[in-house]
Amino acid sequence: MKILFILLAVMVGIIGLGMWFRFNRLPRPPLKKPEKMLKPQEWSREEVTVGWVGHSTVLMQLYDTRILTDPVLGKRVGESIKWLNRQIGMKRHTEPAVSLSDLERVQLILLSHAHFDHFDVPSLSQLAHEGCYVVTPKNTACLIKHLPFKKVFELGWDEQLEIEELGVKILGVPVKHWGNRYPWNRRYGYNGYLIEKKGTRIFFPGDTAFTDQFRKLSETGPVDLAFMPIGAYSPDHLRWAHCTPEEAWAMFRDTGAKWLAPIHWDTFVLSAEPLDEPMERLMQAAGQEAGRIVFRKHGDTFMLPEGNQEKTDSEALNR
């Protein structure tokens, strides 16, 4: 037993030292506030408006349905240690661009996978109420079964769900990522989602490396808006699970969507690229089509043009 304890301590020490060397080389930005905050109380229930809270957290007003993706609202993400009354994990360096009080009317939460920076139980605890549905990947509902949501649905790839009360259809879309919360959670699923209401279709992939699977979305009908992750790709070995900005643009084009909303950057330091580089590279990749990129900073909002008709940059973007 003593030998096993020593071996375990050595392993933990080696892992801890490796993580220290890895994260000691990453950028260390100071905490900042977003330049503007979302004001969902002003959004029309007759239109479609989306706003970037930070990382992969997006607030949508899909007509009369308010939707939130991968809510992460705290100062850190990571494991909650109850006896220490604290959360152990990465600090965020950009505060959320929405107040908690403005999220009280959220009716649907979409969770893409169980990684701590996408599936934050403390944030979900703050949002849980009996009028809110949750859609989560296969074998992950167990993480929030104790919370008072109205109903939690598990969805797999190519499975479709209709929440009749909300008039929303959701399709589970395959992405190239992974779902483990810990090394042993190999059964946890991971999804993208195609969200549809009143003929408007929005694609949220959560987190993904480059894949050509999104071409199938355009074959099923027009996509109006696609979110795409653009950060956490450096060094190159991270690209098995995260796409570069150029790959994000290519996948956006594959969806056939009209508008691109970039996410998953400048909120937590997950990788070694400079903080501003993802957006700079995305703009370069888009070239003359950069006007189709609707988020540039935290707190940006975008209202889908009425009748899904394209407008000029100054008309379409609300910065």
Side-chain angles (χ1 to χ4, degrees):
M1 179 66 77
K2 186 176 181 180
I3 295 175
L4 288 175
F5 179 80
I6 293 172
L7 288 174
L8 180 61
V10 170
M11 288 177 62
V12 170
I14 292 172
I15 293 171
L17 186 62
M19 292 183 68
W20 183 86
F21 275 113
R22 175 188 172 187
F23 289 105
N24 194 48
R25 300 176 182 179
L26 301 184
R28 294 185 177 182
L31 181 66
K32 65 178 180 181
K33 293 182 179 293
E35 294 182 10
K36 50 194 169 184
M37 299 288 285
L38 303 183
K39 299 178 180 179
Q41 69 276 12
E42 299 178 0
W43 298 356
S44 171
R45 292 164 59 88
E46 305 298 322
E47 298 172 314
V48 178
T49 307
V50 297
W52 187 34
V53 176
H55 203 51
S56 295
T57 308
V58 176
L59 184 61
M60 306 183 212
Q61 185 72 49
L62 185 56
Y63 302 107
D64 58 351
T65 302
R66 187 160 291 180
I67 302 171
L68 192 66
T69 65
D70 289 355
V72 177
L73 306 171
K75 296 180 179 179
R76 290 182 180 269
V77 289
E79 186 60 78
S80 296
I81 309 298
K82 291 184 179 179
W83 59 276
L84 287 177
N85 194 29
R86 65 179 299 180
Q87 196 170 11
I88 306 297
M90 295 178 294
K91 285 184 177 181
R92 72 186 306 143
H93 63 263
T94 305
E95 294 182 359
V98 71
S99 63
L100 184 62
S101 60
D102 284 331
L103 299 177
E104 293 176 351
R105 290 184 52 247
V106 168
Q107 298 157 278
L108 173 61
I109 293 174
L110 301 177
L111 300 170
S112 63
H113 59 295
H115 291 173
F116 285 105
D117 60 321
H118 293 257
F119 198 124
D120 185 57
V121 175
S123 295
L124 292 165
S125 299
Q126 292 179 298
L127 297 167
H129 64 88
E130 294 182 355
C132 184
Y133 294 93
V134 177
V135 178
T136 192
K138 291 288 189 180
N139 303 313
T140 59
C142 58
L143 296 170
I144 51 173
K145 63 182 181 181
H146 61 291
L147 299 179
F149 288 109
K150 183 166 188 175
K151 190 167 185 178
V152 178
F153 299 96
E154 288 190 345
L155 201 64
W157 290 357
D158 299 319
E159 293 182 353
Q160 184 164 299
L161 165 71
E162 182 172 4
I163 304 177
E164 293 185 2
E165 181 182 348
L166 303 180
V168 175
K169 294 180 181 179
I170 304 162
L171 175 68
V173 178
V175 295
K176 189 177 180 182
H177 200 57
W178 57 297
N180 301 31
R181 194 171 180 86
Y182 304 103
W184 52 86
N185 300 135
R186 297 182 180 181
R187 295 180 64 246
Y188 283 4
Y190 48 99
N191 292 336
Y193 297 106
L194 183 66
I195 311 143
E196 182 175 354
K197 181 167 182 172
K198 295 183 179 179
T200 296
R201 305 206 314 161
I202 298 175
F203 177 51
F204 175 76
D207 212 350
T208 185
F210 179 77
T211 174
D212 61 5
Q213 290 292 310
F214 301 159
R215 296 175 185 174
K216 297 178 182 179
L217 295 177
S218 62
E219 297 172 1
T220 63
V223 177
D224 299 289
L225 171 70
F227 297 94
M228 282 291 163
I230 63 170
Y233 52 80
S234 179
D236 284 348
H237 69 79
L238 296 178
R239 290 179 57 186
W240 75 272
H242 298 98
C243 61
T244 66
E246 294 81 8
E247 290 169 333
W249 179 257
M251 289 188 291
F252 159 68
R253 295 297 301 272
D254 282 347
T255 68
K258 299 173 183 177
W259 307 101
L260 168 62
I263 56 173
H264 200 271
W265 70 289
D266 194 28
T267 309
F268 298 98
V269 175
L270 303 173
S271 50
E273 73 267 5
L275 298 179
D276 295 334
E277 183 183 277
M279 180 56 69
E280 292 171 355
R281 287 177 56 171
L282 180 65
M283 296 293 287
Q284 290 176 358
Q288 295 182 350
E289 295 184 86
R292 299 170 68 182
I293 300 171
V294 302
F295 290 166
R296 310 291 170 85
K297 297 179 181 179
H298 296 77
D300 276 353
T301 62
F302 173 72
M303 186 177 70
L304 200 66
E306 186 176 354
N308 299 338
Q309 298 298 310
E310 293 189 9
K311 295 184 179 182
T312 64
D313 294 352
S314 60
E315 292 174 317
L317 297 180
N318 176 16
R319 300 195 182 92

